[in-house]
Amino acid sequence: MSVSSTVKFLSPEEIAARKVGEAAQLKFADPAFVFRDRALRLRQLAAGHPMRDFLVFMADVADAQHTVLAAPRTVKLPTQDFLAEAARAGTPALEFPRWSLDEAWREDLQDLLAALAARVGQGAAREVITGLQSAGASHLDQQAERLLSGIMLGLDLAAAPLIGAALQVYWARLVHRTQAAFPDLAFGPIDNARVCPCCGGQPVASVARIGGDDAGSRYLHCSLCQTGWHMVRIKCAHCESTKDISYQELEPAEGAEQPTYHVPKGAVRAECCGECGHYLKIVDMAKDAHVDPVADDLASVALDLLVSETGALRHGLNYLLLWGEPAEDALEHQPAGAT
Ligand SMILES: [Zn+2]
Ligand SMILES: [Zn+2]
Protein backbone atom coordinates (compact mmCIF):
# COMPACT_ATOMS: atom_id res chain seq x y z
CA MET A 1 0.00 0.00 0.00
CA SER A 2 1.43 3.35 -0.98
CA VAL A 3 0.41 6.77 0.18
CA SER A 4 -0.75 7.78 -3.29
CA SER A 5 -3.28 4.95 -3.38
CA THR A 6 -5.37 6.78 -0.79
CA VAL A 7 -5.58 9.99 -2.85
CA LYS A 8 -8.88 10.36 -4.68
CA PHE A 9 -10.04 13.28 -6.77
CA LEU A 10 -13.53 14.46 -5.94
CA SER A 11 -16.01 16.41 -8.04
CA PRO A 12 -17.24 19.73 -6.58
CA GLU A 13 -20.59 18.04 -5.88
CA GLU A 14 -18.86 15.27 -3.95
CA ILE A 15 -16.82 17.78 -1.97
CA ALA A 16 -19.98 19.72 -1.09
CA ALA A 17 -21.73 16.51 -0.06
CA ARG A 18 -18.82 15.48 2.14
CA LYS A 19 -18.91 18.72 4.06
CA VAL A 20 -22.25 17.86 5.59
CA GLY A 21 -21.82 15.63 8.55
CA GLU A 22 -18.95 13.49 7.34
CA ALA A 23 -17.38 11.94 10.40
CA ALA A 24 -13.82 10.62 10.42
CA GLN A 25 -13.67 6.86 10.61
CA LEU A 26 -11.27 6.89 13.56
CA LYS A 27 -11.06 9.23 16.53
CA PHE A 28 -7.63 8.91 18.11
CA ALA A 29 -7.24 9.59 21.81
CA ASP A 30 -4.99 12.47 22.81
CA PRO A 31 -2.39 11.05 25.24
CA ALA A 32 -2.20 14.41 27.02
CA PHE A 33 -5.87 14.31 28.00
CA VAL A 34 -7.43 10.86 27.80
CA PHE A 35 -6.60 9.56 31.30
CA ARG A 36 -6.43 12.99 32.93
CA ASP A 37 -9.96 13.85 31.80
CA ARG A 38 -11.14 10.40 32.93
CA ALA A 39 -9.75 11.00 36.41
CA LEU A 40 -11.53 14.36 36.58
CA ARG A 41 -14.81 12.79 35.48
CA LEU A 42 -14.47 9.96 38.01
CA ARG A 43 -13.97 12.45 40.85
CA GLN A 44 -16.96 14.46 39.64
CA LEU A 45 -19.14 11.33 39.54
CA ALA A 46 -17.86 10.06 42.91
CA ALA A 47 -19.33 12.99 44.85
CA GLY A 48 -22.35 11.66 46.73
CA HIS A 49 -22.28 8.36 44.81
CA PRO A 50 -23.09 5.09 46.64
CA MET A 51 -19.88 3.62 45.12
CA ARG A 52 -17.84 6.68 46.06
CA ASP A 53 -14.74 4.86 47.37
CA PHE A 54 -14.56 2.62 44.30
CA LEU A 55 -14.82 5.60 41.94
CA VAL A 56 -12.21 7.60 43.87
CA PHE A 57 -9.83 4.63 43.69
CA MET A 58 -10.42 4.37 39.94
CA ALA A 59 -9.74 8.13 39.66
CA ASP A 60 -6.40 7.47 41.37
CA VAL A 61 -5.76 4.68 38.83
CA ALA A 62 -6.58 7.05 35.93
CA ASP A 63 -4.29 9.74 37.40
CA ALA A 64 -1.51 7.14 37.64
CA GLN A 65 -2.18 6.12 34.01
CA HIS A 66 -1.83 9.77 32.97
CA THR A 67 1.49 10.06 34.82
CA VAL A 68 2.90 6.88 33.27
CA LEU A 69 1.76 7.73 29.75
CA ALA A 70 3.40 11.17 30.01
CA ALA A 71 6.75 9.70 31.12
CA PRO A 72 9.41 8.92 28.50
CA ARG A 73 9.41 5.29 27.36
CA THR A 74 11.05 3.56 24.42
CA VAL A 75 8.75 1.00 22.83
CA LYS A 76 9.05 -1.22 19.80
CA LEU A 77 6.89 -0.05 16.87
CA PRO A 78 5.57 -2.12 13.95
CA THR A 79 7.28 -1.97 10.57
CA GLN A 80 5.61 -0.69 7.42
CA ASP A 81 5.44 -4.27 6.11
CA PHE A 82 3.74 -5.48 9.29
CA LEU A 83 1.08 -2.77 8.90
CA ALA A 84 0.63 -3.35 5.17
CA GLU A 85 0.11 -7.07 5.72
CA ALA A 86 -2.73 -6.36 8.18
CA ALA A 87 -4.25 -3.83 5.78
CA ARG A 88 -4.27 -6.40 2.97
CA ALA A 89 -5.89 -8.99 5.24
CA GLY A 90 -8.43 -6.48 6.59
CA THR A 91 -7.48 -7.22 10.21
CA PRO A 92 -6.52 -4.90 13.10
CA ALA A 93 -2.78 -4.23 12.80
CA LEU A 94 -1.90 -4.24 16.49
CA GLU A 95 -4.19 -6.99 17.73
CA PHE A 96 -2.91 -9.37 20.38
CA PRO A 97 -1.39 -11.91 19.78
CA ARG A 98 -0.57 -10.75 16.23
CA TRP A 99 1.22 -7.97 18.10
CA SER A 100 2.94 -9.75 20.98
CA LEU A 101 3.55 -8.26 24.41
CA ASP A 102 6.96 -6.78 25.01
CA GLU A 103 8.53 -5.92 28.33
CA ALA A 104 7.59 -2.23 28.08
CA TRP A 105 4.10 -3.09 29.33
CA ARG A 106 5.61 -4.43 32.57
CA GLU A 107 7.58 -1.20 32.99
CA ASP A 108 4.28 0.64 32.60
CA LEU A 109 2.72 -1.63 35.21
CA GLN A 110 5.50 -1.12 37.75
CA ASP A 111 5.45 2.67 37.29
CA LEU A 112 1.66 2.62 37.62
CA LEU A 113 1.87 0.61 40.84
CA ALA A 114 4.50 2.97 42.28
CA ALA A 115 2.34 6.01 41.46
CA LEU A 116 -0.71 4.35 43.02
CA ALA A 117 1.11 3.12 46.13
CA ALA A 118 1.90 6.74 46.96
CA ARG A 119 -1.85 7.48 47.15
CA VAL A 120 -3.36 4.32 48.63
CA GLY A 121 -3.40 3.58 52.36
CA GLN A 122 -3.43 0.17 54.03
CA GLY A 123 -6.12 -2.28 52.93
CA ALA A 124 -7.10 -4.68 50.19
CA ALA A 125 -5.95 -2.40 47.36
CA ARG A 126 -2.53 -1.98 48.99
CA GLU A 127 -2.17 -5.77 49.24
CA VAL A 128 -2.96 -6.18 45.54
CA ILE A 129 -0.40 -3.50 44.64
CA THR A 130 2.30 -5.08 46.83
CA GLY A 131 1.55 -8.54 45.41
CA LEU A 132 1.94 -7.29 41.82
CA GLN A 133 5.13 -5.39 42.66
CA SER A 134 6.80 -8.60 43.80
CA ALA A 135 5.33 -10.89 41.10
CA GLY A 136 7.64 -12.42 38.49
CA ALA A 137 7.63 -11.40 34.82
CA SER A 138 6.23 -14.72 33.61
CA HIS A 139 3.30 -14.55 36.04
CA LEU A 140 2.50 -10.99 34.96
CA ASP A 141 2.76 -11.85 31.27
CA GLN A 142 0.49 -14.84 31.81
CA GLN A 143 -2.13 -12.71 33.59
CA ALA A 144 -1.94 -10.07 30.84
CA GLU A 145 -2.31 -12.70 28.12
CA ARG A 146 -5.37 -14.19 29.81
CA LEU A 147 -6.93 -10.76 30.15
CA LEU A 148 -6.24 -9.86 26.51
CA SER A 149 -7.60 -13.22 25.32
CA GLY A 150 -10.74 -13.04 27.48
CA ILE A 151 -9.76 -16.17 29.44
CA MET A 152 -11.23 -15.85 32.92
CA LEU A 153 -9.93 -19.22 34.13
CA GLY A 154 -6.91 -18.60 36.35
CA LEU A 155 -7.30 -14.84 36.10
CA ASP A 156 -6.64 -12.98 39.37
CA LEU A 157 -9.80 -10.83 39.41
CA ALA A 158 -8.52 -8.50 42.14
CA ALA A 159 -5.34 -7.70 40.17
CA ALA A 160 -6.94 -7.66 36.71
CA PRO A 161 -8.08 -3.98 36.78
CA LEU A 162 -4.49 -2.83 37.49
CA ILE A 163 -3.03 -5.11 34.84
CA GLY A 164 -5.73 -3.86 32.46
CA ALA A 165 -4.88 -0.25 33.35
CA ALA A 166 -1.22 -0.84 32.47
CA LEU A 167 -2.15 -2.54 29.19
CA GLN A 168 -4.35 0.47 28.32
CA VAL A 169 -1.38 2.79 28.80
CA TYR A 170 0.90 0.54 26.76
CA TRP A 171 -1.59 0.19 23.86
CA ALA A 172 -2.64 3.86 23.89
CA ARG A 173 1.02 4.86 23.49
CA LEU A 174 1.67 2.16 20.88
CA VAL A 175 -1.27 3.25 18.70
CA HIS A 176 -0.44 6.95 19.11
CA ARG A 177 3.20 6.50 18.12
CA THR A 178 2.38 4.13 15.27
CA GLN A 179 -0.14 6.63 13.87
CA ALA A 180 2.44 9.42 14.20
CA ALA A 181 5.11 7.35 12.45
CA PHE A 182 2.87 6.13 9.59
CA PRO A 183 0.08 8.73 9.36
CA ASP A 184 -1.21 7.61 5.96
CA LEU A 185 -1.11 3.88 6.25
CA ALA A 186 -1.12 2.81 9.89
CA PHE A 187 -4.79 1.98 10.41
CA GLY A 188 -7.25 1.42 7.58
CA PRO A 189 -10.68 -0.16 7.36
CA ILE A 190 -11.05 -3.71 8.63
CA ASP A 191 -13.62 -6.40 7.87
CA ASN A 192 -15.08 -6.65 11.38
CA ALA A 193 -16.96 -3.47 12.37
CA ARG A 194 -17.43 -4.78 15.92
CA VAL A 195 -13.80 -4.50 17.06
CA CYS A 196 -11.24 -1.69 17.20
CA PRO A 197 -9.52 -1.24 13.81
CA CYS A 198 -6.22 -0.47 15.59
CA CYS A 199 -5.89 -3.12 18.31
CA GLY A 200 -8.86 -5.47 17.84
CA GLY A 201 -10.23 -4.50 21.27
CA GLN A 202 -13.89 -4.66 22.22
CA PRO A 203 -15.83 -1.46 22.85
CA VAL A 204 -16.37 -0.30 26.42
CA ALA A 205 -19.28 1.97 25.42
CA SER A 206 -20.37 4.27 22.59
CA VAL A 207 -19.86 8.02 22.53
CA ALA A 208 -22.26 10.37 20.72
CA ARG A 209 -20.03 13.33 19.95
CA ILE A 210 -20.47 17.08 19.55
CA GLY A 211 -18.65 19.67 17.48
CA GLY A 212 -18.11 20.24 13.74
CA ASP A 213 -18.53 17.31 11.41
CA ASP A 214 -18.69 14.96 14.37
CA ALA A 215 -21.89 16.40 15.80
CA GLY A 216 -24.23 13.57 16.59
CA SER A 217 -21.87 10.92 15.22
CA ARG A 218 -21.51 7.74 17.26
CA TYR A 219 -18.11 6.18 17.95
CA LEU A 220 -17.47 2.89 19.67
CA HIS A 221 -14.74 3.53 22.25
CA CYS A 222 -11.97 0.93 22.43
CA SER A 223 -11.59 -0.65 25.87
CA LEU A 224 -7.85 -1.15 25.28
CA CYS A 225 -6.14 1.51 23.11
CA GLN A 226 -8.82 4.21 23.66
CA THR A 227 -9.40 4.88 19.95
CA GLY A 228 -12.95 5.60 18.77
CA TRP A 229 -14.26 4.00 15.59
CA HIS A 230 -17.33 5.17 13.75
CA MET A 231 -20.59 3.25 13.65
CA VAL A 232 -23.92 4.71 12.56
CA ARG A 233 -26.38 5.38 15.36
CA ILE A 234 -29.29 3.13 16.35
CA LYS A 235 -27.40 -0.03 15.46
CA CYS A 236 -26.50 -2.98 17.68
CA ALA A 237 -22.75 -3.08 18.40
CA HIS A 238 -22.99 -6.84 18.99
CA CYS A 239 -24.93 -8.18 15.96
CA GLU A 240 -25.09 -4.99 13.81
CA SER A 241 -28.87 -5.24 13.51
CA THR A 242 -30.76 -1.96 13.09
CA LYS A 243 -34.15 -3.47 13.93
CA ASP A 244 -35.74 -3.38 17.36
CA ILE A 245 -33.21 -1.07 19.09
CA SER A 246 -34.44 0.52 22.31
CA TYR A 247 -32.88 2.63 25.07
CA GLN A 248 -33.00 2.41 28.84
CA GLU A 249 -31.64 4.75 31.47
CA LEU A 250 -31.78 5.25 35.20
CA GLU A 251 -34.54 7.46 36.53
CA PRO A 252 -34.42 8.98 40.01
CA ALA A 253 -36.56 6.88 42.35
CA GLU A 254 -39.97 8.43 42.96
CA GLY A 255 -40.05 10.40 46.16
CA ALA A 256 -36.27 10.28 46.53
CA GLU A 257 -34.90 13.57 47.79
CA GLN A 258 -31.76 13.23 45.72
CA PRO A 259 -31.02 10.87 42.86
CA THR A 260 -28.15 8.57 43.85
CA TYR A 261 -26.50 8.97 40.47
CA HIS A 262 -27.02 12.34 38.91
CA VAL A 263 -26.22 12.94 35.27
CA PRO A 264 -28.50 14.88 32.92
CA LYS A 265 -31.32 12.90 31.32
CA GLY A 266 -30.13 11.11 28.20
CA ALA A 267 -26.41 11.42 29.05
CA VAL A 268 -25.95 7.70 29.83
CA ARG A 269 -28.26 5.12 28.29
CA ALA A 270 -28.16 1.43 27.47
CA GLU A 271 -28.68 0.69 23.77
CA CYS A 272 -30.58 -2.59 23.80
CA CYS A 273 -31.05 -4.93 20.85
CA GLY A 274 -34.21 -7.01 20.57
CA GLU A 275 -32.66 -9.18 17.85
CA CYS A 276 -29.71 -10.63 19.79
CA GLY A 277 -30.55 -9.54 23.35
CA HIS A 278 -27.32 -7.62 24.00
CA TYR A 279 -26.79 -4.05 25.12
CA LEU A 280 -23.97 -1.52 25.17
CA LYS A 281 -24.09 1.82 26.94
CA ILE A 282 -23.97 5.06 24.98
CA VAL A 283 -22.83 8.34 26.53
CA ASP A 284 -24.00 11.56 24.87
CA MET A 285 -21.75 14.64 24.88
CA ALA A 286 -24.69 16.80 23.78
CA LYS A 287 -26.40 16.04 27.09
CA ASP A 288 -23.25 16.33 29.21
CA ALA A 289 -20.03 17.54 27.57
CA HIS A 290 -17.86 15.85 30.23
CA VAL A 291 -19.04 12.25 29.78
CA ASP A 292 -16.31 9.63 29.53
CA PRO A 293 -17.09 6.13 28.24
CA VAL A 294 -15.05 4.34 30.91
CA ALA A 295 -15.86 6.58 33.89
CA ASP A 296 -19.57 6.80 33.15
CA ASP A 297 -19.75 3.05 32.60
CA LEU A 298 -18.20 2.48 36.05
CA ALA A 299 -20.56 4.93 37.72
CA SER A 300 -23.68 3.43 36.14
CA VAL A 301 -23.45 -0.15 37.38
CA ALA A 302 -27.02 0.30 38.62
CA LEU A 303 -28.07 0.60 34.96
CA ASP A 304 -26.42 -2.77 34.21
CA LEU A 305 -28.40 -4.34 37.02
CA LEU A 306 -31.63 -2.73 35.79
CA VAL A 307 -31.12 -3.84 32.19
CA SER A 308 -29.97 -7.34 33.07
CA GLU A 309 -33.23 -7.83 35.00
CA THR A 310 -34.91 -7.83 31.59
CA GLY A 311 -32.61 -10.70 30.54
CA ALA A 312 -30.37 -8.52 28.35
CA LEU A 313 -26.68 -9.46 28.12
CA ARG A 314 -23.83 -7.00 28.45
CA HIS A 315 -21.72 -6.54 25.30
CA GLY A 316 -18.18 -5.16 25.33
CA LEU A 317 -15.52 -4.91 28.01
CA ASN A 318 -14.36 -2.55 30.74
CA TYR A 319 -10.89 -3.52 31.99
CA LEU A 320 -11.44 -1.61 35.21
CA LEU A 321 -14.55 -3.59 36.11
CA LEU A 322 -14.78 -7.20 35.00
CA TRP A 323 -18.11 -8.92 35.37
CA GLY A 324 -17.04 -12.40 36.41
CA GLU A 325 -17.31 -15.24 33.93
CA PRO A 326 -18.68 -14.93 31.36
CA ALA A 327 -19.93 -11.36 30.83
CA GLU A 328 -23.38 -12.85 30.19
CA ASP A 329 -23.60 -13.77 33.90
CA ALA A 330 -23.63 -10.15 35.04
CA LEU A 331 -26.78 -10.63 37.11
CA GLU A 332 -25.29 -13.37 39.27
CA HIS A 333 -21.87 -11.82 39.72
CA GLN A 334 -20.90 -8.67 41.51
CA PRO A 335 -18.26 -6.56 39.82
CA ALA A 336 -14.72 -7.46 40.86
CA GLY A 337 -13.29 -4.06 41.68
CA ALA A 338 -9.95 -3.60 43.41
CA THR A 339 -11.18 -1.66 46.42
ZN1 LIG B 1 -8.11 -0.31 20.22
ZN1 LIG C 1 -27.92 -7.24 18.48
Side-chain angles (χ1 to χ4, degrees):
M1 179 191 261
S2 68
V3 173
S4 62
S5 72
T6 61
V7 175
K8 186 178 156 219
F9 294 100
L10 300 173
S11 70
E13 293 76 26
E14 283 177 306
I15 291 167
R18 282 167 69 103
K19 278 188 181 157
V20 184
E22 170 135 340
Q25 196 58 32
L26 295 176
K27 194 61 61 185
F28 292 104
D30 187 333
F33 296 107
V34 58
F35 295 115
R36 193 202 66 169
D37 288 354
R38 182 163 303 156
L40 289 171
R41 178 64 171 174
L42 282 161
R43 292 191 199 286
Q44 183 190 16
L45 292 170
H49 196 288
M51 289 167 63
R52 182 190 169 279
D53 291 351
F54 171 76
L55 296 173
V56 168
F57 177 71
M58 287 307 168
D60 288 342
V61 172
D63 274 331
Q65 287 179 297
H66 174 70
T67 303
V68 178
L69 186 54
R73 175 92 70 232
T74 304
V75 293
K76 189 180 83 176
L77 293 184
T79 62
Q80 191 165 322
D81 285 349
F82 187 89
L83 295 170
E85 193 185 300
R88 275 194 299 273
T91 55
L94 299 174
E95 182 174 30
F96 178 83
R98 180 174 196 268
W99 181 260
S100 56
L101 281 174
D102 73 63
E103 62 187 11
W105 95 266
R106 269 185 270 111
E107 295 170 13
D108 286 332
L109 176 67
Q110 293 305 335
D111 287 357
L112 184 101
L113 295 171
L116 256 185
R119 290 168 171 265
V120 174
Q122 296 303 315
R126 165 69 69 160
E127 280 174 34
V128 173
I129 291 167
T130 312
L132 284 172
Q133 283 176 319
S134 58
S138 64
H139 172 78
L140 295 175
D141 281 353
Q142 189 190 56
Q143 287 292 311
E145 284 164 13
R146 281 185 182 143
L147 196 52
L148 291 167
S149 312
I151 299 169
M152 304 298 276
L153 188 70
L155 189 68
D156 178 350
L157 280 175
L162 299 181
I163 288 177
L167 293 171
Q168 286 175 335
V169 171
Y170 170 80
W171 249 278
R173 183 196 296 110
L174 178 67
V175 165
H176 177 72
R177 290 199 189 165
T178 301
Q179 174 63 16
F182 306 100
D184 295 310
L185 54 75
F187 304 111
I190 61 166
D191 296 338
N192 182 355
R194 295 167 52 193
V195 300
C196 172
C198 303
C199 77
Q202 289 189 56
V204 57
S206 299
V207 182
R209 296 188 60 96
I210 48 172
D213 289 345
D214 291 341
S217 298
R218 181 259 285 271
Y219 286 80
L220 298 179
H221 187 89
C222 178
S223 55
L224 184 60
C225 78
Q226 312 299 312
T227 302
W229 72 99
H230 184 254
M231 182 180 270
V232 295
R233 293 185 75 157
I234 319 178
K235 181 172 185 168
C236 174
H238 184 80
C239 74
E240 299 180 53
S241 170
T242 53
K243 289 180 259 170
D244 200 9
I245 303 291
S246 62
Y247 295 88
Q248 288 204 44
E249 66 182 304
L250 294 171
E251 307 276 355
E254 228 169 280
E257 269 180 35
Q258 270 219 325
T260 50
Y261 170 59
H262 34 105
V263 292
K265 190 164 170 50
V268 180
R269 296 183 298 164
E271 186 174 60
C272 308
C273 173
E275 288 279 307
C276 74
H278 286 80
Y279 72 93
L280 183 73
K281 287 178 199 163
I282 175 165
V283 300
D284 193 335
M285 294 175 75
K287 301 292 195 293
D288 184 339
H290 301 293
V291 286
D292 175 82
V294 173
D296 283 87
D297 181 44
L298 294 177
S300 60
V301 166
L303 179 57
D304 291 283
L305 299 176
L306 177 81
V307 174
S308 48
E309 276 171 20
T310 68
L313 308 173
R314 187 179 154 100
H315 175 62
L317 178 66
N318 188 335
Y319 280 103
L320 302 186
L321 188 135
L322 300 170
W323 286 87
E325 184 216 348
E328 278 76 1
D329 285 344
L331 189 60
E332 287 80 30
H333 294 264
Q334 288 303 305
T339 50

